[in-house]
Amino acid sequence: MTLRTTNPVLRALVSLKLTIACLAALMVLVMACTLAQVKLGTWPAVEIYMRAWFVWWDVPGTELRIPVFPGGALVGLVLLVNLFLAQLVRLELAWKKVGLWISHAGLILLVLGEFVTGAFQVESQLAVEEGQTVNYVESPRELELAVIDVTDPAMDDVYSVPAARLERGGAIPIPGTPVAVQVRRFFRNAELARLGPADPPSPVTAGVGTGVAVRERPPVSRDDQTNQAAAFVEPVAGGRSYGTWLVSNGLGAPQSFTHEGRTYQLQLRSRREYLPFAITLKDFRHDVYPGTQIPKNFSSLVTIANPSRGEQRDVLIYMNQPLRYEGKAFYQASFGKGDTLSILQVVENPGWLIPYVSCVLVAIGLIVHFAITLRRSSRRRQAASEA
Amino acid sequence: MNLKRAVPWIAFGLALAGAASSLLPSGKPRGFDVEAFGQIPVLEGGRVKPVDTIARNALLMIRGKQSASSEGRSIGPDEWLLDVMFRPEVADRQELFVIDDPEVLGLLGIQQSRNRYYSFATLAPRIDEIQRQYVAAEPIDPKVRSHFQSAIVNLFERMFLYHRLKNTVQLEGTPGLAAEIAARAGPGAPQRHQLLVELAHFKPLLPVTPAGDAWRSVGEALTGTTTVEPGLEQWARLGLAYQAQDAASFNRSVADLAATAALGRPDAAARSDHEWLFNAAQPFYSGMVIYVLALLAVFVSWLWRPVLLQRLAFGLLLAGAVVHTLGLASRVLIQGRPPVTNLYSSAVFVGWAAVLLGVVLERMYRRGFATAVAASSGFASLIVAHHLSVDGDTMEMMRAVLDSNFWLATHVVTITIGYSGTFLAGALAIGWVVRRHLTRRADPAASKAIVAMTYGIICFALFFSFVGTVLGGIWADQSWGRFWGWDPKENGALLIVLWNAIILHARWAGYARERGIMAMAIFGNVITSFSWFGVNMLGVGLHSYGFMDKAFWALSAFVGTQLVLMLFALVPARFWSARRAEAAAPGKDRPEGASQPV
């Protein structure tokens, strides 16, 4: 190794030992993350092991949390620094090393891409029934309390409070309106049932929730489970209380109250992001192989209407064939309601092209490097057999 | 001298001839042209296949074997299916249902004995009890079923399959299809037709429109018809003839049915013939036998006539590779899909790629060593594939998200080649360990050559597993918008990439020498087997029973042997049998790669 430095810190940072240690630590993390998914589900396992700087251990019986292992983000960062510096310090600029240069550059890009994804990727869903038009996407995990002024039949004013704010409790003034929402209690996961004689009396005084018992449940995280959140909220306007209401994403119809001639709806729902365009589902198809129930194809024929661009056109979204539009990609993900409801996965990731570039770079680099190595070793063997 | 040159070719030719001999017509049992019957195309599981495939898969599922015994002689799957459909009273007495679970036997009031097979007639009196237990066990999630529950569900499903086969062409207990056709407008006919529609296991009648793929069951063809189509009438005559054991008439009906199919759907008939040929040839079974012979030849060569026998072994390996390739190519043609579509085909493909790499290595190094490793890898992977095939049709249709020949051909094939390379490197390392501990001859050059081969194969594996993994990410990005989702299968592939990268960097840095590299290469087997099979078991969890239960123990045992072999690899040189190799040439024991990357 031609080290051009004597600084011990730099030497450690560029050493191959550190590379190997990082790769090994990454293997441990990946393994742990994989096994943890069985119990926790994908999302929390990735948050705990891969996207964190440290893996924490809650000491049982205490409030103490001890970092027990570097997390994926830290290992990735160290690996990135190590790769980058090694490139500058250790690897000589020679033609026989060109393959390693290219593939390492590709790897740096790949790790960077994963950081970009971790920081910027937003995943949401768009559920649309045949004939329906939808102009928003919904978060699969986060909830919001929507306070909607529906007085004007042509247009709704939507104010939303993220569930994280509800969890803190207290009074939340809704900007632009005289209304403030007082959060009495918030449940991250709860079971709703008809209020029985054995249940404690409900604090709810208005809306459909008066006859409903709310039983707290431990929050779940596995991929096949969803939380049913609930909250007791009390809208207050102009010094007057409009009663305590039960809101939950498990309740179907919105509930409303009227204050000074304006009608407000209350709804706890998946967090929405409104789009500058609308999508209409014209037809959903679910084909099976003849004589079986094995799905052959799912496809959604949708119309995009974008007034700002004066655009109106049909698009067919099907397996392995997403629609990329306005920085978002729409994928056929699921379906329901007797094949009349189509659920599209919507992903926004500004770094989506990075892995493509890095893959090509690494592959070319490895081919070049191994070709050079193979040529040299076969030349050596030839020389040995001639000698 | 001439003989030596000819030996590999003779071995090659003889092995191929042996494999081809299974294609010779096997004669007509009792005068019935059972083979021609097996070639008739029908629709099942979403694709057109020969009756032979249905018979084989059904018999494999019910009995665990591709043969049964009836009236004192061994019968093949096609003859068995004929008995089930047209002579159920004979089939009911055949010992078909393999039952291993003592609790299920206890439920049936049978003591466990050496005989594991029971006839339908034996089980029939207890069928209500079996069904009662099935209804209780079936709603339980397969992951948490007890041993007994899994076994009873499995038994009931096999009995139900048997029942459906019996009622596919004609209803059991009725005079037969001919009578059914005659009484098609009579009283009770619609109910019987409906029953035939519901119970049919396969659809034997061609679609009405020449281009459509709506094949029809007997019940569907009978419903509301006044005219009788030729196919229906031919099946009826075939049934009558077999019932009456009239070979001549049976053979005529079979020929007529074949002609109807060839005329109506020439493409389906040709494909079905090809698949029948593939079934009859059993290329993967022949390949297994040839690989074992090659392996034996290498073993003997270490004791006697090394040069001659090594050539012979290489000839056999080549023959095995050809048979294996033909089998793989046939599957690709029949299915119209790239070679890897499910776990079964990945096992076949992993072995195939390892064998081809072994052939290349043997050409480069010519020591017989690569032949031995390649033959054992090919054999081992075909054995694994065989054990994966008992679940039914190995050419099932692809679910919608997987229905992309482009990605199956690129991502899946590349990643499987990556598995294959990592396994081959591990196998080479195992060979190196075994050789070190068993041979007394000092041969540092050979040892060096093996290390060089392993190194080369690890480079190869790193390339393919990396490219395969990233291609998988790109496929995921294309189909659900997530380049990397930390899904167990993705993680498994990433582990292989990381491990191969660690091996190569440890070698380049000089941290691991010969022994270390070899031990690490063997650990590559553990990593690969985890990401290939282990992650599939994760979803199953700790309470898994039945097949995956067995697979879990097999995997654990495999990992255990690999760890032991790693220990053997790491044992210092003075404990080796071949230690004189090191002692004789201390100057050559230079740590390679210590100074710079190779």
Side-chain angles (χ1 to χ4, degrees):
Chain A
M1 268 165 267
T2 51
L3 280 186
R4 275 170 264 160
T5 174
T6 51
N7 181 337
V9 176
L10 194 56
R11 278 175 75 103
L13 265 182
V14 302
S15 73
L16 266 176
K17 265 198 186 117
L18 185 65
T19 316
I20 294 173
C22 283
L23 292 177
L26 210 51
M27 280 187 78
V28 172
L29 286 171
V30 169
M31 194 73 200
C33 172
T34 311
L35 295 178
Q37 288 182 15
V38 177
K39 274 217 174 102
L40 296 177
T42 314
W43 177 257
V46 171
E47 290 294 309
I48 291 171
Y49 291 100
M50 307 313 303
R51 301 229 185 277
W53 296 99
F54 287 99
V55 179
W56 298 87
W57 179 54
D58 292 305
V59 183
T62 64
E63 292 284 294
L64 271 181
R65 294 184 84 211
I66 304 175
V68 284
F69 204 79
L74 184 60
V75 174
L77 187 69
V78 173
L79 194 62
L80 206 58
V81 171
N82 170 263
L83 256 173
F84 192 71
L85 290 180
Q87 206 68 356
L88 296 182
V89 176
R90 205 178 57 220
L91 268 182
E92 49 196 303
L93 251 184
W95 276 114
K96 64 177 181 181
K97 297 285 162 65
V98 67
L100 290 180
W101 272 92
I102 300 174
S103 55
H104 282 164
L107 276 180
I108 291 174
L109 208 57
L110 191 64
V111 180
L112 277 179
E114 186 54 23
F115 273 101
V116 171
T117 301
F120 298 111
Q121 172 157 299
V122 181
E123 285 182 20
S124 45
Q125 282 186 338
L126 189 152
V128 55
E129 282 183 57
E130 276 178 343
Q132 195 192 2
T133 302
V134 168
N135 66 340
Y136 56 84
V137 294
E138 291 178 322
S139 161
R141 273 175 292 272
E142 289 164 50
L143 300 172
E144 66 183 10
L145 175 67
V147 180
I148 309 166
D149 182 347
V150 292
T151 317
D152 182 352
M155 193 174 138
D156 292 349
D157 283 325
V158 181
Y159 311 94
S160 74
V161 182
R165 175 68 191 84
L166 297 181
E167 251 177 290
R168 288 211 302 275
I172 305 163
I174 306 297
T177 72
V179 181
V181 174
Q182 181 79 33
V183 181
R184 296 283 170 219
R185 185 139 183 229
F186 182 79
F187 306 86
R188 283 170 70 190
N189 190 18
E191 187 187 303
L192 303 186
R194 185 176 292 278
L195 195 66
D199 289 301
S202 168
V204 180
T205 58
V208 295
T210 46
V212 177
V214 180
R215 297 174 192 142
E216 187 156 20
R217 291 277 173 265
V220 294
S221 64
R222 275 209 347 235
D223 302 359
D224 53 349
Q225 301 166 323
T226 45
N227 284 313
Q228 178 170 275
F232 298 135
V233 295
E234 182 184 357
V236 180
R240 186 185 154 200
S241 164
Y242 284 90
T244 302
W245 301 68
L246 167 69
V247 289
S248 167
N249 56 334
L251 292 177
Q255 313 171 74
S256 56
F257 64 94
T258 307
H259 171 71
E260 290 177 357
R262 300 201 80 82
T263 302
Y264 299 94
Q265 274 186 357
L266 280 176
Q267 200 178 0
L268 187 67
R269 62 185 194 189
S270 296
R271 195 167 60 76
R272 286 186 184 177
E273 182 199 338
Y274 287 88
L275 304 171
F277 53 92
I279 284 184
T280 311
L281 180 63
K282 291 176 96 172
D283 185 31
F284 175 73
R285 285 184 63 90
H286 169 191
D287 304 329
V288 294
Y289 288 101
T292 69
Q293 293 301 313
I294 306 173
K296 185 175 198 263
N297 183 44
F298 300 105
S299 65
S300 295
L301 181 64
V302 300
T303 307
I304 308 177
N306 189 345
S308 67
R309 283 206 207 164
E311 199 168 23
Q312 172 118 18
R313 62 184 166 102
D314 285 359
V315 184
L316 186 67
I317 300 172
Y318 55 100
M319 292 282 117
N320 300 318
Q321 207 49 242
L323 156 72
R324 292 187 192 277
Y325 190 73
E326 298 257 310
K328 287 185 166 61
F330 298 79
Y331 303 84
Q332 185 66 56
S334 188
F335 62 99
K337 293 199 179 170
D339 293 349
T340 60
L341 171 78
S342 176
I343 298 174
L344 303 176
Q345 165 101 335
V346 185
V347 180
E348 190 170 2
N349 179 7
W352 73 277
L353 262 177
I354 297 177
Y356 290 73
V357 178
S358 87
C359 171
V360 172
L361 283 180
V362 176
I364 291 176
L366 286 177
I367 289 178
V368 169
H369 181 67
F370 293 144
I372 293 173
T373 314
L374 191 68
R375 213 179 65 175
R376 204 170 50 201
S377 99
S378 68
R379 234 190 261 151
R380 219 184 283 153
R381 262 190 305 128
Q382 205 174 354
S385 66
E386 278 166 11
Chain B
M1 206 53 217
N2 259 344
L3 178 70
K4 270 188 188 168
R5 282 197 174 282
V7 156
W9 294 111
I10 295 172
F12 178 75
L14 281 179
L16 282 189
S21 71
S22 60
L23 286 177
L24 294 177
S26 60
K28 299 173 181 172
R30 296 175 292 130
F32 288 90
D33 194 353
V34 171
E35 282 192 356
F37 169 71
Q39 294 178 25
I40 295 171
V42 296
L43 184 107
E44 192 266 327
R47 81 184 170 89
V48 178
K49 52 182 97 169
V51 168
D52 182 60
T53 299
I54 288 171
R56 274 173 202 270
N57 289 334
L59 192 53
L60 202 58
M61 275 193 268
I62 291 173
R63 196 164 192 266
K65 287 184 175 177
Q66 294 202 352
S67 65
S69 85
S70 175
E71 294 165 343
R73 75 199 166 81
S74 170
I75 58 172
D78 299 326
E79 202 180 341
W80 167 77
L81 183 63
L82 282 168
D83 280 344
V84 172
M85 293 196 301
F86 304 116
R87 293 202 301 172
E89 66 287 353
V90 174
D92 282 352
R93 289 197 309 274
Q94 295 164 356
E95 293 185 328
L96 290 175
F97 293 87
V98 53
I99 303 176
D100 287 323
D101 190 87
E103 290 179 56
V104 170
L105 288 174
L107 180 78
L108 303 172
I110 303 171
Q111 275 198 6
Q112 194 159 31
S113 65
R114 274 181 54 205
N115 182 18
R116 305 155 58 215
Y117 302 100
Y118 300 91
S119 69
F120 187 79
T122 315
L123 304 178
R126 305 307 305 274
I127 202 154
D128 290 339
E129 182 60 19
I130 296 173
Q131 181 154 14
R132 207 172 63 80
Q133 297 293 338
Y134 166 80
V135 169
E138 200 272 338
I140 299 170
D141 186 352
K143 293 172 198 167
V144 293
R145 279 183 200 154
S146 74
H147 225 296
F148 170 75
Q149 286 165 338
S150 302
I152 203 81
V153 168
N154 178 273
L155 175 63
F156 183 82
E157 282 170 356
R158 287 184 291 154
M159 289 177 75
F160 189 59
L161 170 65
Y162 180 75
H163 181 65
R164 291 183 66 180
L165 285 173
K166 273 181 177 174
N167 291 287
T168 295
V169 175
Q170 56 194 33
L171 286 180
E172 194 188 0
T174 61
L177 180 56
E180 193 68 64
I181 294 173
R184 65 184 177 280
Q191 287 80 0
R192 288 200 305 276
H193 298 169
Q194 186 54 32
L195 212 53
L196 276 167
V197 171
E198 282 164 14
L199 287 174
H201 177 61
F202 58 86
K203 301 191 170 195
L205 295 161
L206 306 184
V208 187
T209 50
D213 53 8
W215 288 61
R216 290 156 310 138
S217 64
V218 170
E220 283 162 340
L222 279 170
T223 306
T225 177
T226 47
T227 56
V228 178
E229 62 182 273
L232 208 52
E233 196 197 333
Q234 284 153 0
W235 273 100
R237 274 195 281 117
L238 182 140
L240 276 184
Y242 196 80
Q243 222 164 353
Q245 291 291 293
D246 176 352
S249 164
F250 173 85
N251 294 350
R252 266 199 310 279
S253 315
V254 168
D256 289 347
L257 267 175
T260 306
L263 211 66
R265 297 309 288 260
D267 52 330
R271 212 173 247 231
S272 166
D273 282 355
H274 182 183
E275 183 168 344
W276 178 84
L277 210 62
F278 171 80
N279 288 346
Q282 301 206 22
F284 301 131
Y285 176 73
S286 308
M288 246 191 287
V289 173
I290 299 175
Y291 288 142
V292 170
L293 291 176
L295 198 58
L296 287 178
V298 179
F299 288 160
V300 176
S301 82
W302 289 338
L303 305 170
W304 181 72
R305 313 243 9 207
V307 177
L308 186 76
L309 280 173
Q310 270 169 28
R311 289 177 171 212
L312 180 112
F314 186 65
L316 287 173
L317 180 71
L318 274 185
V322 167
V323 173
H324 202 153
T325 309
L326 285 176
L328 206 63
S330 285
R331 278 184 60 93
V332 170
L333 287 178
I334 293 166
Q335 236 186 332
R337 293 273 176 205
V340 187
T341 52
N342 51 16
L343 211 53
Y344 167 83
S345 52
S346 75
V348 170
F349 189 82
V350 161
W352 178 76
V355 167
L356 286 203
L357 282 173
V359 168
V360 173
L361 287 180
E362 185 63 36
R363 291 296 299 163
M364 283 166 76
Y365 291 91
R366 295 175 191 272
R367 289 176 186 276
F369 183 79
T371 306
V373 170
S376 34
S377 312
F379 173 72
S381 71
L382 288 180
I383 283 277
V384 169
H386 172 74
H387 283 283
L388 291 172
S389 70
V390 289
D391 278 353
D393 192 357
T394 61
M395 292 192 239
E396 71 236 327
M397 305 312 283
M398 306 300 295
R399 295 189 165 267
V401 69
L402 301 176
D403 186 13
S404 155
N405 277 349
F406 174 73
W407 290 111
L408 282 172
T410 51
H411 159 63
V412 180
V413 166
T414 341
I415 198 102
T416 316
I417 293 176
Y419 289 167
S420 191
T422 316
F423 272 132
L424 185 64
L428 284 166
I430 292 172
W432 180 85
V433 171
V434 171
R435 211 180 143 277
R436 277 277 150 127
H437 283 279
L438 291 186
T439 60
R440 303 217 157 265
R441 242 176 323 132
D443 192 354
S447 172
K448 229 175 161 161
I450 297 168
V451 176
M453 282 188 236
T454 312
Y455 168 71
I457 295 296
I458 292 173
C459 293
F460 176 89
L462 174 67
F463 174 78
F464 278 94
S465 49
F466 177 83
V467 172
T469 306
V470 179
L471 282 174
I474 291 178
W475 185 6
D477 184 59
Q478 293 287 330
S479 61
W480 51 85
R482 214 173 294 159
F483 173 75
W484 194 260
W486 303 102
D487 164 86
K489 203 79 189 171
E490 294 171 357
N491 290 349
L494 179 63
L495 286 175
I496 299 180
V497 176
L498 288 173
W499 185 245
N500 282 325
I502 289 180
I503 301 181
L504 292 184
H505 286 88
R507 187 191 134 106
W508 290 331
Y511 301 142
R513 313 265 160 85
E514 246 185 31
R515 280 184 289 145
I517 298 287
M518 288 312 189
M520 289 168 98
I522 296 176
F523 192 66
N525 283 345
V526 175
I527 302 270
T528 316
S529 58
F530 171 76
S531 82
W532 192 12
F533 294 112
V535 291
N536 292 14
M537 291 173 203
L538 279 183
V540 179
L542 293 170
H543 300 279
S544 64
Y545 292 98
F547 168 70
M548 273 328 233
D549 188 29
K550 277 181 231 154
F552 176 76
W553 291 113
L555 185 66
S556 307
F558 175 74
V559 169
T561 57
Q562 301 305 300
L563 295 179
V564 171
L565 282 166
M566 281 175 69
L567 278 184
F568 273 108
L570 290 171
V571 164
R574 63 176 182 282
F575 297 111
W576 297 351
S577 291
R579 65 178 180 276
R580 270 162 292 173
E582 314 302 313
K588 288 198 176 165
D589 197 24
R590 187 181 65 84
E592 64 245 81
S595 54
Q596 58 168 217
V598 177

